[in-house]
Amino acid sequence: MTVPILLPENATLARLLGHVEDRLLNGLCQDPEPAEDDDQDEPLPAPFGDCAASDAFDRVLACIPARVLYPNVEDTGYRILGPDGRSEHEPVYAVPLDEADVAVLDAALRDLRAALDGTGDPDVREELAIAAAQWETTEAAMVDALARVLAVLTLRDADTATLAEVLPESPALTVVVLTHTQEGAYRRLAETWDRLIRTGRSLPSDPAPSD
C-alpha cells in the first residue's frame, strides 16, 4: 500500500539519506547469490544478507525529488508562499512511499539496535563495526542516521494531511499560496522536522496551560 508523506528541502536530511545508503546499507547488504568458495562466510540474516533493506531504501530514494536529495541542484521554480502572497517558505514535497518498504527498513533498524546492545546477531555487529571503521565514525552514529531518516519518513499527523491537500504532484513551475490554517500546519511541521532530523524524537506534548 502506498501512503503519501511530506519531505522538506533540508541539507542535513539530504546528508543523512546519503549516509544511510552509502555507509550503512550498502556496507551491510550482500549479494545473495551463493559463492563457489566454500570458505566464504555465511551471509548475514535478512534483511541484510538478502539485500532486502538496501533494495527497499533504493525504492524509497527513487520516489524522493532531486531537490530533497541534492538541495543544490537547479531551481525548478516551485514556490510556497504565505497567505499574503509575498512571504516565501522553504519548499515541501508530497512523496508516495510503499508501506512495505518502510516496514523492511523499520525491521532493519530494530535488528541494528539489537546488535548494538548485544542482544542481536553478532555477525551484524561485526559488519557494522567494520563499516564504521571504514568511514571513521561510530556504530551508534550509523544506526542513529537510519533512525532519524525513518522518523521523518513515518511522520503522518493532522498537519501533514492539511498541507498535503494543497501540494502538487508535479511541483515544477508551481506557486502554492497557503491559507492561514495551512501556514500554521507548515510552521508546526517545520519545527517537527527540525527535531526529528536532529534527534529522531518527536516534539513533546504542549504543556497544560497554567491557571
Side-chain angles (χ1 to χ4, degrees):
M1 178 180 176
T2 300
V3 294
I5 66 161
L6 302 183
L7 292 179
E9 286 185 17
N10 182 286
T12 302
L13 176 60
R15 187 168 62 252
L16 288 171
L17 289 165
H19 286 183
V20 170
E21 179 186 26
D22 297 331
R23 300 185 176 191
L24 181 63
L25 296 181
N26 285 352
L28 290 177
C29 294
Q30 305 161 350
D31 187 346
E33 293 297 324
E36 296 180 359
D37 184 0
D38 292 337
D39 295 330
Q40 181 169 335
D41 293 337
E42 289 293 322
L44 295 178
F48 306 111
D50 59 359
C51 293
S54 60
D55 288 348
F57 198 68
D58 285 345
R59 289 189 292 270
V60 167
L61 292 178
C63 296
I64 297 177
R67 289 279 296 182
V68 175
L69 297 173
Y70 313 105
N72 294 324
V73 300
E74 184 178 358
D75 190 350
T76 63
Y78 175 40
R79 298 288 183 271
I80 296 181
L81 304 180
D84 61 5
R86 296 187 301 272
S87 58
E88 188 168 344
H89 299 293
E90 289 292 328
V92 173
Y93 300 85
V95 179
L97 292 186
D98 191 324
E99 285 188 319
D101 289 333
V102 176
V104 170
L105 295 172
D106 189 58
L109 178 60
R110 289 196 302 270
D111 289 348
L112 290 168
R113 283 174 165 166
L116 277 182
D117 68 19
T119 62
D121 192 293
D123 292 335
V124 172
R125 177 63 184 268
E126 181 180 354
E127 291 298 324
L128 184 60
I130 292 172
Q134 177 184 355
W135 290 100
E136 297 182 346
T137 185
T138 66
E139 300 150 68
M142 297 182 73
V143 175
D144 180 65
L146 177 58
R148 287 192 274 169
V149 165
L150 273 174
V152 175
L153 296 181
T154 55
L155 176 60
R156 303 185 195 104
D157 58 13
D159 288 331
T160 301
T162 296
L163 203 55
E165 292 177 354
V166 296
L167 296 183
E169 292 184 9
S170 301
L173 301 176
T174 300
V175 176
V176 175
V177 180
L178 302 177
T179 65
H180 289 287
T181 297
Q182 292 160 353
E183 186 177 48
Y186 180 101
R187 293 186 186 282
R188 289 187 295 272
L189 277 172
E191 292 177 359
T192 303
W193 281 322
D194 180 67
R195 178 69 63 88
L196 295 179
I197 290 168
R198 286 188 295 108
T199 69
R201 293 191 294 272
S202 298
L203 285 166
S205 301
D206 292 335
S210 57
D211 295 333

